[in-house]
Amino acid sequence: MSATGTSEDLVGDGTRAVRAGLPEPVKHEPTLPGPVFAAHFHLPGEVAGPYSYGRDDNPTWTLLENAIGELEAPGRTDVETLVFASGMAAISAVLFSQLRAGDAVVLPSDGYQALPLVRAQLEAYGVEVRTAPTGGDAQLQVLQGARLLWIESPSNPGLDVCDIRRLAVAAHAQGTLVAVDNTLATPLGQRPLALGADFAVASGTKQLTGHGDVLLGYVAGRDAEVMAAVRRWRKIVGAIPGPMESWLAHRSIATLQLRADRQNATALTVAEALRQRPEVSGLRYPGLPDDPAHKVASRQMRRYGCVVSFTLPTRARAERFLAALRLVEDATSFGGVRSTAERRARWGGDAVPEGFIRMSIGAEDPGDLVADILRALDESAD
């Protein structure tokens, strides 16, 4: 990692985000070098040094990987970070590089809606897949003998939380690796490696970059041998990010703390407003003191995220509500500076009611956003 972003005295999240991954200053050079577009590099003689071919490494990736590593594991030099073309590329790299036929893996039954596709592929390769819900640390009940435990906390879209440290201790006691999908929390919300996980995995498409214009994923790990397998998988599959996407991601990280603080605070304000509405049921936001996940979340999270979920009485009511919103775009994904919401059941991959809404809170003025949401609820009433 570069010297400028890892100093122990740079303890503030804003300072760390602004300076993460910057190279040593060179006179007349930009503070953040532009993207390096190269399929190959000058390489006379024997192969030596970090850059030889564009599928293996790129200087723009290196700076971004340093930046993410400094956020996921500040002050540590034993953590390696690898960036990928998407969050699913990062997820697949961990699962398929670590599991073999005959192994068992534990996945969340309430996780990201692409996980059933992953399950089918793993089972086709002879891997036993067990599932259990995130809440109540239920994955402990099916952990015995597993090679890998996959945690998603908070879960997407239900926003349940598990005790990561407790699960990691139990897993490691029997030699099980632990991976945590940290997409919804971001490294400013929680640091899975500090909680005992072997891998922190995330989609950088979401709040990490926050502008809805980059597809990106990453894996951070603290064991050189297992990370070598992840790197090898990236090389074989070629699931690499473009240099422009990597540069945009690094540039966007500089505002992560500003965006996260605004979005998290407004998410709590929105959740408190929704709690007063009689047509809203199943409201979830880990930052609410009475949320079922709040007690555990408050022990391991420093920010509770920008996503609020709730259910309206019917599919028709939910669709009318979404159509009535003016400041909230009807779109998938989450974590962007512009608020989005969707009726999640339209995808068919989540076990949620037809009127279930996943809302991602952006950087709009809180008063304007709350007013728009309440007006849309009023207008969408039967």
Side-chain angles (χ1 to χ4, degrees):
M1 295 183 183
S2 69
T4 52
T6 58
S7 174
E8 292 289 350
D9 60 347
L10 297 181
V11 295
D13 285 339
T15 302
R16 185 171 285 116
V18 166
R19 302 203 59 79
L22 296 183
E24 293 291 344
V26 176
K27 188 175 182 179
H28 304 307
E29 293 291 326
T31 55
L32 177 61
V36 175
F37 298 100
H40 57 265
F41 302 82
H42 288 295
L43 196 66
E46 296 297 321
V47 176
Y51 306 113
S52 58
Y53 187 64
R55 192 179 69 251
D56 298 327
D57 259 313
N58 178 287
T60 311
W61 301 354
T62 299
L63 296 179
L64 175 60
E65 289 168 344
N66 288 347
I68 294 172
E70 290 164 17
L71 298 179
E72 283 284 359
R76 292 183 58 167
T77 59
D78 61 339
V79 170
E80 180 180 4
T81 303
L82 299 171
V83 290
F84 290 82
S86 69
M88 280 307 302
I91 289 170
S92 299
V94 173
L95 292 170
F96 291 101
S97 71
Q98 303 303 318
L99 296 170
R100 305 287 183 272
D103 287 342
V105 61
V106 177
L107 301 179
S109 59
D110 54 345
Y112 180 49
Q113 57 105 4
L115 287 181
L117 299 176
V118 173
R119 175 177 186 164
Q121 193 63 57
L122 287 168
E123 290 176 337
Y125 289 158
V127 175
E128 177 190 354
V129 180
R130 307 169 189 165
T131 62
T134 299
D137 299 343
Q139 289 176 299
L140 286 173
Q141 300 170 17
V142 294
L143 187 60
Q144 183 64 40
R147 163 68 178 164
L148 176 67
L149 167 63
W150 190 273
I151 294 170
E152 189 176 300
S153 181
S155 61
N156 173 27
L159 303 183
D160 263 326
V161 168
C162 63
D163 187 332
I164 295 173
R165 192 181 299 277
R166 180 189 180 203
L167 267 66
V169 168
H172 290 156
Q174 62 173 27
T176 301
L177 292 169
V178 179
V180 176
D181 187 328
N182 204 35
T183 302
L184 203 146
T186 82
L188 299 194
Q190 76 186 0
R191 295 192 175 112
L193 299 179
L195 295 170
D198 299 287
F199 303 100
V201 187
S203 168
T205 308
K206 311 301 194 297
Q207 194 174 26
L208 184 80
T209 57
H211 291 80
D213 54 8
V214 170
L215 286 174
L216 191 86
Y218 71 84
V219 179
R222 53 198 182 100
D223 184 284
E225 183 176 349
V226 296
M227 286 301 293
V230 176
R231 179 182 286 274
R232 185 166 57 250
W233 180 265
R234 183 178 71 173
K235 177 183 176 70
I236 294 168
V237 176
I240 58 173
M244 189 66 193
E245 289 83 356
S246 299
W247 183 85
L248 285 170
H250 196 171
R251 179 213 57 177
S252 298
I253 284 174
T255 62
L256 176 58
Q257 182 262 337
L258 296 171
R259 291 184 281 107
D261 281 354
R262 174 64 169 255
Q263 292 171 260
N264 283 223
T266 305
L268 180 58
T269 299
V270 168
E272 289 170 339
L274 288 169
R275 188 165 52 179
Q276 309 305 316
R277 299 292 300 213
E279 69 269 54
V280 169
S281 63
L283 174 66
R284 296 299 304 271
Y285 182 66
L288 286 170
D290 58 350
D291 187 273
H294 182 74
K295 184 176 180 180
V296 174
S298 64
R299 293 200 301 264
Q300 65 191 21
M301 299 183 73
R302 296 176 300 126
R303 293 172 176 84
Y304 297 107
C306 63
V307 176
V308 177
S309 67
F310 58 97
T311 300
L312 293 175
T314 64
R315 170 177 176 167
R317 176 68 188 279
E319 291 178 346
R320 291 198 303 271
F321 166 70
L322 292 171
L325 291 165
R326 297 170 186 164
L327 298 180
V328 182
E329 299 170 356
D330 191 341
T332 194
S333 198
F334 57 85
V337 292
R338 290 175 292 278
S339 293
T340 60
E342 68 172 335
R343 193 180 66 81
R344 191 63 187 167
R346 66 181 176 172
W347 295 99
D350 297 307
V352 295
E354 286 294 328
F356 180 94
I357 302 291
R358 185 185 70 181
M359 180 172 286
S360 172
I361 305 304
E364 297 89 354
D365 286 302
D368 293 340
L369 196 56
V370 169
D372 186 51
I373 293 168
L374 297 182
R375 179 198 50 76
L377 285 172
D378 290 338
E379 291 183 6
S380 63
D382 295 331

